[in-house]
Amino acid sequence: LVARKNGPPPTGGTVMAAVQPVTVGDKVIDGIVLTLAPGRDVPGTVRIEGDSEPSLGSLMILANSLDGLNNGMGPQVRGVSGSQFTLKGVAPGRTTIAVNNQPPNYYVKSVQYEGQEVTPGGADLTTGGSLAIVLSDKGARLTGRVVDAAGKAATRANIALFSADNQPSRFY
């Protein structure tokens, strides 16, 4: 069960939200109270694994509520100066982290909250912990080509890459 609304002044339009797990069975559920509260600021760091110190000026970090509390416009950071950042006003409930515009030849190796990987199922980022994002330039490279039955370059072909254990992809 979720609730959200834009907060009145003095919150300056901050989204107010509440999340309450509810198990529905064959009995009437009565008297549920959801107490709206502003989101929490979540600090984080970006660590680089690689042979250089690339600029993080174009890096984008986005918190996306899986409970529908931010309508796709969650807290975000555009550009990281140094290695620290803060996502402001993260709503309670299940949240994923998207990391976009990483430096050329770098990939997102991990996103952790309080030492636990933030999975595609999300994590509650409002418990007072911090995020740790690792970017690496040590990823594998995949090269090749798509051909038709005659061995000629195929046009308008799509390529998909899946993990060997068939786990859903991370939301990076």
Side-chain angles (χ1 to χ4, degrees):
L1 191 58
V2 298
R4 91 182 271 283
K5 76 176 224 94
N6 286 338
T11 62
T14 300
V15 171
M16 307 282 283
V19 176
Q20 175 64 52
V22 176
T23 301
V24 178
D26 60 352
K27 306 246 187 272
V28 173
I29 300 173
D30 222 355
I32 295 173
V33 176
L34 294 174
T35 303
L36 296 172
R40 295 190 64 171
D41 292 352
V42 178
T45 59
V46 177
R47 185 167 59 89
I48 301 294
E49 285 184 356
D51 297 326
S52 65
E53 287 294 324
S55 168
L56 302 177
S58 297
L59 192 69
M60 289 181 55
I61 303 166
L62 171 69
N64 187 40
S65 170
L66 294 177
D67 297 321
L69 292 173
N70 58 21
N71 295 331
M73 299 184 316
Q76 60 184 278
V77 171
R78 292 177 182 260
V80 173
S81 179
S83 64
Q84 300 191 4
F85 64 90
T86 300
L87 288 165
K88 298 202 174 280
V90 175
R94 298 170 307 135
T95 302
T96 59
I97 298 295
V99 181
N100 299 314
N101 296 338
Q102 19 322 6
N105 300 316
Y106 280 79
Y107 77 101
V108 180
K109 182 175 181 180
S110 73
V111 175
Q112 294 187 348
Y113 181 74
E114 285 303 289
Q116 299 295 313
E117 194 72 19
V118 178
T119 68
D124 184 355
L125 305 181
T126 61
T127 61
S130 62
L131 283 166
I133 297 172
V134 178
L135 302 179
S136 176
D137 68 353
K138 304 297 184 202
R141 292 190 186 269
L142 179 66
T143 62
R145 59 193 187 115
V146 178
V147 297
D148 61 19
K152 295 183 181 175
T155 59
R156 303 179 58 90
N158 293 316
I159 299 173
L161 182 63
F162 296 91
S163 65
D165 60 4
N166 225 9
Q167 292 297 309
S169 78
R170 296 179 185 162
F171 189 57
Y172 295 155

PDB file of all heavy atoms in Angstrom, residues 28 38-39 43 76 111 113 121 124 127 135 142 145 170:
ATOM      1  N   VAL A  28     -11.669  -8.609   6.153  1.00  0.00           N
ATOM      2  CA  VAL A  28     -11.657  -7.167   5.951  1.00  0.00           C
ATOM      3  C   VAL A  28     -10.469  -6.576   6.709  1.00  0.00           C
ATOM      4  O   VAL A  28     -10.213  -6.944   7.856  1.00  0.00           O
ATOM      5  CB  VAL A  28     -12.980  -6.536   6.451  1.00  0.00           C
ATOM      6  CG1 VAL A  28     -12.897  -5.016   6.404  1.00  0.00           C
ATOM      7  CG2 VAL A  28     -14.141  -7.045   5.638  1.00  0.00           C
ATOM      8  N   PRO A  38       8.459  13.362   4.238  1.00  0.00           N
ATOM      9  CA  PRO A  38       9.325  13.693   3.100  1.00  0.00           C
ATOM     10  C   PRO A  38      10.375  12.614   2.901  1.00  0.00           C
ATOM     11  O   PRO A  38      10.721  11.888   3.838  1.00  0.00           O
ATOM     12  CB  PRO A  38       9.973  15.021   3.509  1.00  0.00           C
ATOM     13  CG  PRO A  38       9.894  15.037   4.999  1.00  0.00           C
ATOM     14  CD  PRO A  38       8.664  14.247   5.377  1.00  0.00           C
ATOM     15  N   GLY A  39      10.874  12.523   1.690  1.00  0.00           N
ATOM     16  CA  GLY A  39      11.943  11.572   1.408  1.00  0.00           C
ATOM     17  C   GLY A  39      13.204  11.925   2.180  1.00  0.00           C
ATOM     18  O   GLY A  39      13.334  13.021   2.726  1.00  0.00           O
ATOM     19  N   PRO A  43      23.372   9.798   0.986  1.00  0.00           N
ATOM     20  CA  PRO A  43      24.723  10.097   0.521  1.00  0.00           C
ATOM     21  C   PRO A  43      25.321   8.894  -0.202  1.00  0.00           C
ATOM     22  O   PRO A  43      24.881   7.762  -0.013  1.00  0.00           O
ATOM     23  CB  PRO A  43      25.482  10.381   1.823  1.00  0.00           C
ATOM     24  CG  PRO A  43      24.776   9.537   2.838  1.00  0.00           C
ATOM     25  CD  PRO A  43      23.323   9.511   2.415  1.00  0.00           C
ATOM     26  N   GLN A  76      17.783  12.674  -8.546  1.00  0.00           N
ATOM     27  CA  GLN A  76      18.920  12.367  -9.402  1.00  0.00           C
ATOM     28  C   GLN A  76      20.056  13.334  -9.160  1.00  0.00           C
ATOM     29  O   GLN A  76      19.869  14.430  -8.644  1.00  0.00           O
ATOM     30  CB  GLN A  76      18.511  12.366 -10.865  1.00  0.00           C
ATOM     31  CG  GLN A  76      17.960  13.684 -11.369  1.00  0.00           C
ATOM     32  CD  GLN A  76      17.500  13.568 -12.802  1.00  0.00           C
ATOM     33  OE1 GLN A  76      18.322  13.649 -13.706  1.00  0.00           O
ATOM     34  NE2 GLN A  76      16.222  13.369 -13.003  1.00  0.00           N
ATOM     35  N   VAL A 111      26.482  -1.498  -7.547  1.00  0.00           N
ATOM     36  CA  VAL A 111      25.799  -0.459  -6.774  1.00  0.00           C
ATOM     37  C   VAL A 111      25.371  -1.133  -5.485  1.00  0.00           C
ATOM     38  O   VAL A 111      24.599  -2.094  -5.509  1.00  0.00           O
ATOM     39  CB  VAL A 111      24.573   0.112  -7.513  1.00  0.00           C
ATOM     40  CG1 VAL A 111      23.824   1.094  -6.623  1.00  0.00           C
ATOM     41  CG2 VAL A 111      24.976   0.773  -8.819  1.00  0.00           C
ATOM     42  N   TYR A 113      24.096  -0.651  -1.265  1.00  0.00           N
ATOM     43  CA  TYR A 113      23.579   0.171  -0.181  1.00  0.00           C
ATOM     44  C   TYR A 113      23.882  -0.564   1.111  1.00  0.00           C
ATOM     45  O   TYR A 113      23.461  -1.709   1.281  1.00  0.00           O
ATOM     46  CB  TYR A 113      22.065   0.390  -0.337  1.00  0.00           C
ATOM     47  CG  TYR A 113      21.471   1.250   0.750  1.00  0.00           C
ATOM     48  CD1 TYR A 113      21.692   2.626   0.758  1.00  0.00           C
ATOM     49  CD2 TYR A 113      20.708   0.705   1.758  1.00  0.00           C
ATOM     50  CE1 TYR A 113      21.164   3.428   1.751  1.00  0.00           C
ATOM     51  CE2 TYR A 113      20.171   1.495   2.758  1.00  0.00           C
ATOM     52  CZ  TYR A 113      20.402   2.860   2.746  1.00  0.00           C
ATOM     53  OH  TYR A 113      19.876   3.649   3.740  1.00  0.00           O
ATOM     54  N   GLY A 121      15.133  -5.930  -7.878  1.00  0.00           N
ATOM     55  CA  GLY A 121      13.969  -5.863  -7.001  1.00  0.00           C
ATOM     56  C   GLY A 121      13.989  -4.658  -6.082  1.00  0.00           C
ATOM     57  O   GLY A 121      13.018  -4.401  -5.371  1.00  0.00           O
ATOM     58  N   ASP A 124      15.227  -0.580   0.169  1.00  0.00           N
ATOM     59  CA  ASP A 124      14.783   0.619   0.877  1.00  0.00           C
ATOM     60  C   ASP A 124      16.024   1.439   1.199  1.00  0.00           C
ATOM     61  O   ASP A 124      16.857   1.035   2.012  1.00  0.00           O
ATOM     62  CB  ASP A 124      14.027   0.248   2.148  1.00  0.00           C
ATOM     63  CG  ASP A 124      13.472   1.472   2.872  1.00  0.00           C
ATOM     64  OD1 ASP A 124      13.743   2.616   2.448  1.00  0.00           O
ATOM     65  OD2 ASP A 124      12.753   1.284   3.866  1.00  0.00           O
ATOM     66  N   THR A 127      16.949   4.036   5.169  1.00  0.00           N
ATOM     67  CA  THR A 127      17.218   3.537   6.518  1.00  0.00           C
ATOM     68  C   THR A 127      18.435   4.190   7.162  1.00  0.00           C
ATOM     69  O   THR A 127      18.884   3.745   8.209  1.00  0.00           O
ATOM     70  CB  THR A 127      17.402   2.008   6.490  1.00  0.00           C
ATOM     71  OG1 THR A 127      18.519   1.697   5.646  1.00  0.00           O
ATOM     72  CG2 THR A 127      16.162   1.297   5.987  1.00  0.00           C
ATOM     73  N   LEU A 135      32.705   1.995 -10.602  1.00  0.00           N
ATOM     74  CA  LEU A 135      32.852   2.007 -12.057  1.00  0.00           C
ATOM     75  C   LEU A 135      34.204   1.391 -12.392  1.00  0.00           C
ATOM     76  O   LEU A 135      35.194   1.660 -11.712  1.00  0.00           O
ATOM     77  CB  LEU A 135      32.805   3.436 -12.604  1.00  0.00           C
ATOM     78  CG  LEU A 135      31.566   4.266 -12.300  1.00  0.00           C
ATOM     79  CD1 LEU A 135      31.700   5.660 -12.905  1.00  0.00           C
ATOM     80  CD2 LEU A 135      30.320   3.586 -12.825  1.00  0.00           C
ATOM     81  N   LEU A 142      33.181  -7.304 -26.383  1.00  0.00           N
ATOM     82  CA  LEU A 142      32.545  -8.251 -27.283  1.00  0.00           C
ATOM     83  C   LEU A 142      32.513  -7.622 -28.663  1.00  0.00           C
ATOM     84  O   LEU A 142      32.005  -6.507 -28.830  1.00  0.00           O
ATOM     85  CB  LEU A 142      31.123  -8.542 -26.789  1.00  0.00           C
ATOM     86  CG  LEU A 142      30.274  -9.489 -27.610  1.00  0.00           C
ATOM     87  CD1 LEU A 142      30.873 -10.895 -27.559  1.00  0.00           C
ATOM     88  CD2 LEU A 142      28.858  -9.502 -27.072  1.00  0.00           C
ATOM     89  N   ARG A 145      29.975  -9.647 -35.771  1.00  0.00           N
ATOM     90  CA  ARG A 145      29.095  -9.109 -36.806  1.00  0.00           C
ATOM     91  C   ARG A 145      27.925 -10.049 -36.992  1.00  0.00           C
ATOM     92  O   ARG A 145      27.994 -11.235 -36.643  1.00  0.00           O
ATOM     93  CB  ARG A 145      29.846  -8.878 -38.105  1.00  0.00           C
ATOM     94  CG  ARG A 145      30.481 -10.088 -38.680  1.00  0.00           C
ATOM     95  CD  ARG A 145      31.472  -9.722 -39.790  1.00  0.00           C
ATOM     96  NE  ARG A 145      31.933 -10.945 -40.412  1.00  0.00           N
ATOM     97  CZ  ARG A 145      31.702 -11.283 -41.667  1.00  0.00           C
ATOM     98  NH1 ARG A 145      31.052 -10.460 -42.458  1.00  0.00           N
ATOM     99  NH2 ARG A 145      32.129 -12.414 -42.152  1.00  0.00           N
ATOM    100  N   ARG A 170      20.700  -5.950 -14.223  1.00  0.00           N
ATOM    101  CA  ARG A 170      20.671  -4.876 -13.238  1.00  0.00           C
ATOM    102  C   ARG A 170      20.118  -3.628 -13.888  1.00  0.00           C
ATOM    103  O   ARG A 170      20.202  -3.462 -15.095  1.00  0.00           O
ATOM    104  CB  ARG A 170      22.066  -4.607 -12.724  1.00  0.00           C
ATOM    105  CG  ARG A 170      22.650  -5.760 -11.977  1.00  0.00           C
ATOM    106  CD  ARG A 170      24.028  -5.400 -11.524  1.00  0.00           C
ATOM    107  NE  ARG A 170      24.655  -6.548 -10.894  1.00  0.00           N
ATOM    108  CZ  ARG A 170      25.946  -6.643 -10.718  1.00  0.00           C
ATOM    109  NH1 ARG A 170      26.738  -5.690 -11.107  1.00  0.00           N
ATOM    110  NH2 ARG A 170      26.447  -7.704 -10.130  1.00  0.00           N
TER     111      ARG A 170
END
